């Protein structure tokens, strides 16, 4: 989540804030999912993960469009 926040806040040089980010985890805690959504995560998947689910998740993430919010919004999450 911190890496996603840094990307969206434009902290990392040479990394676009519009970079597609997919989070893969074995633990989908409600607070973490909510935070990821607030940070405009492009996809979220939990283990165990089939190859079909992985392909779908990445496909949806790469095709998702969203409005980039102000840095202040991402910094406050």
């Amino acid at each position: 989540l911190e890496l996603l926040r840094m990307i969206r806040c434009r902290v990392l040089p040479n990394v676009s804030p519009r970079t597609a980010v997919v989070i893969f985890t074995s633990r989908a805690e409600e607070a973490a999912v909510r935070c990821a959504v607030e940070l405009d995560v492009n996809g979220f998947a939990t283990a165990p993960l089939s190859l079909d689910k992985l392909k779908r998740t990445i496909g949806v993430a790469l095709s998702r469009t969203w409005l980039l919010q102000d840095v202040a919004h991402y910094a406050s999450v």
Side-chain angles (χ1 to χ4, degrees):
L1 291 174
E2 187 58 35
L3 177 59
L4 177 55
R5 182 179 292 111
M6 291 172 71
I7 291 169
R8 297 297 187 244
C9 286
R10 301 169 180 89
V11 172
L12 303 173
N14 302 321
V15 178
S16 170
R18 297 199 55 79
T19 299
V21 175
V22 179
I23 295 177
F24 298 100
T25 184
S26 62
R27 301 180 341 189
E29 297 167 356
E30 184 179 340
V33 173
R34 197 174 23 230
C35 182
V37 169
E38 285 292 316
L39 291 170
D40 288 328
V41 71
N42 298 84
F44 198 96
T46 56
L49 195 61
S50 70
L51 183 56
D52 288 336
K53 173 75 173 175
L54 175 64
K55 288 178 183 178
R56 275 194 312 273
T57 301
I58 292 172
V60 168
L62 292 176
S63 65
R64 180 177 178 258
T65 58
W66 78 100
L67 294 175
L68 193 62
Q69 300 185 48
D70 293 336
V71 171
H73 167 79
Y74 297 120
S76 71
V77 175

